């Protein structure tokens, strides 16, 4: 795909407000479409914010009325905030565009980055993003003295994780040894150029996810590199590793038009 330019928009105390970054995406998108700049990946942190993709349902949003930014990407609701590396690769793809192939390339770069930290991650069929797989159901520990047969997610058709206690909160999926998402991906392609991208949990406060139904998934949770590795893994440590693998994957890829 040729040269990939990285732009650091802001981290830590200089984290970039979501709407400001979205506007910058639009500016870069227009410049890339006009061939004024090469493929560009914006990298940054956001202050705490919930964003909702086009398919987000009302019963997946915060119950307490916390503001949510509705965006034009695919996917559902998620959270961005401190301790999470966010990347917006703005790339020109051949037409007709193969969106799935683009998502798979981003997943592969993040899977390789996690492997460099000694963490095995994978894809889950039918669910985008990068995952840490849980134990088989029969090997998982009982919760709060209750056997898994009484897990409300399996027996209650109206189960709502936003009302669940900490035992069933998305942020505690690792303790339950369930599948848990480490990196989320949601994109949009306009005029053959990609927007939005990925978020990789490095050392965030994952309890922010407990107020929503993350990505609309009720039977799994969320993870972080720090939680999985048992040590603090800040964004600053992860940033160069992710850059290396994004460059490795995206600069050498030869994306083909989607078969029609």
């Amino acid at each position: 795909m040729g040269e990939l330019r990285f732009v650091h928009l802001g981290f830590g105390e200089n984290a970039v407000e979501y709407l400001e970054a979205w506007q910058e995406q639009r500016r870069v998108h227009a410049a890339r479409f006009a061939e004024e700049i090469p493929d560009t990946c914006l990298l940054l942190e956001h202050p705490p914010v919930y964003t909702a993709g086009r398919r987000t349902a009302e019963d997946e949003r915060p119950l307490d009325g916390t503001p949510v930014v509705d965006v034009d990407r695919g996917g559902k609701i998620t959270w961005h905030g401190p301790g999470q590396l966010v990347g917006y690769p703005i790339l020109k793809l051949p037409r007709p565009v193969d969106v799935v192939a683009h998502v798979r390339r981003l997943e592969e770069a993040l899977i390789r980055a996690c492997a460099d930290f000694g963490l095995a991650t994978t894809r889950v069929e039918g669910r985008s993003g990068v995952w840490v797989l849980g134990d088989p159901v029969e090997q998982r520990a009982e919760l709060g003295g209750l056997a898994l047969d009484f897990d409300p997610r399996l027996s209650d058709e109206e189960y709502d994780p936003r009302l669940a206690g900490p035992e069933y909160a998305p942020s505690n999926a690792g303790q339950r040894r369930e599948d848990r998402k480490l990196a989320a991906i949601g994109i949009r392609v306009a005029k053959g150029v990609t927007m939005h991208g990925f978020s990789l949990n490095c050392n965030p406060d994952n309890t922010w996810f407990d107020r929503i139904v993350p990505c609309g998934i009720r039977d799994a949770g969320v993870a972080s590199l720090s939680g999985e590795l048992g040590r603090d893994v800040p964004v600053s440590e992860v940033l160069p590793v992710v850059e290396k693998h994004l460059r490795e994957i995206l600069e050498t890829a030869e994306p083909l038009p989607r078969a029609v």
Side-chain angles (χ1 to χ4, degrees):
M1 292 179 66
E3 176 190 358
L4 178 62
R5 179 178 66 134
F6 289 100
V7 176
H8 295 180
L9 289 188
F11 300 92
E13 294 181 355
N14 297 315
V16 184
E17 293 289 343
Y18 186 84
L19 292 177
E20 179 184 341
W22 194 7
Q23 183 61 34
E24 178 64 7
Q25 280 196 72
R26 294 188 186 101
R27 188 193 68 78
V28 175
H29 182 277
R32 182 64 189 98
F33 175 72
E35 299 284 1
E36 297 171 354
I37 60 172
D39 288 337
T40 299
C41 182
L42 308 178
L43 294 167
L44 63 152
E45 280 180 275
H46 287 302
V49 62
Y50 293 107
T51 71
R54 295 185 297 261
R55 298 189 299 111
T56 301
E58 285 304 314
D59 64 357
E60 296 165 351
R61 296 169 180 263
L63 280 170
D64 60 3
T66 299
V68 175
V69 178
D70 288 281
V71 296
D72 57 356
R73 61 166 170 78
K76 294 196 170 191
I77 191 168
T78 192
W79 171 83
H80 298 308
Q84 184 186 77
L85 174 60
V86 174
Y88 298 130
I90 300 175
L91 319 172
K92 181 169 282 191
L93 302 178
R95 298 187 185 187
V97 169
D98 191 335
V99 176
V100 173
H102 175 58
V103 170
R104 294 293 171 265
R105 286 190 288 271
L106 296 182
E107 290 171 344
E108 181 62 26
L110 296 175
I111 287 170
R112 293 186 187 185
C114 292
D116 278 4
F117 285 93
L119 179 63
T121 57
T122 188
R123 300 177 177 89
V124 171
E125 186 175 355
R127 294 177 169 178
S128 67
V130 174
W131 292 78
V132 179
L133 292 184
D135 296 337
V137 172
E138 63 274 9
Q139 295 180 16
R140 295 178 192 168
E142 296 180 358
L143 302 176
L146 296 178
L148 283 169
D149 290 344
F150 294 97
D151 187 333
R153 293 164 300 170
L154 305 179
S155 59
D156 184 357
E157 294 181 357
E158 298 182 356
Y159 168 75
D160 191 333
R162 299 170 303 171
L163 298 173
E167 287 179 342
Y168 297 105
S171 61
N172 283 331
Q175 296 181 31
R176 298 191 299 270
R177 306 304 302 164
E178 294 177 344
D179 292 354
R180 48 216 184 263
K181 182 179 279 192
L182 184 69
I185 295 177
I187 66 168
R188 179 182 182 228
V189 180
K191 299 179 180 179
V193 179
T194 65
M195 289 184 68
H196 302 289
F198 66 86
S199 57
L200 174 62
N201 296 329
C202 302
N203 62 345
D205 176 1
N206 273 349
T207 61
W208 283 93
F209 288 101
D210 297 344
R211 301 165 72 180
I212 60 174
V213 182
C215 302
I217 298 173
R218 298 173 184 268
D219 61 349
V222 293
S224 69
L225 283 169
S226 295
E228 297 298 323
L229 296 173
R231 68 174 181 87
D232 186 46
V233 185
V235 169
S236 58
E237 183 179 350
V238 179
L239 179 62
V241 180
V242 168
E243 277 194 18
K244 177 184 74 171
H245 289 290
L246 285 171
R247 189 181 299 281
E248 177 182 277
I249 295 292
L250 297 179
E251 285 192 346
T252 62
E254 296 183 7
L256 302 174
R258 174 177 50 83
V260 294

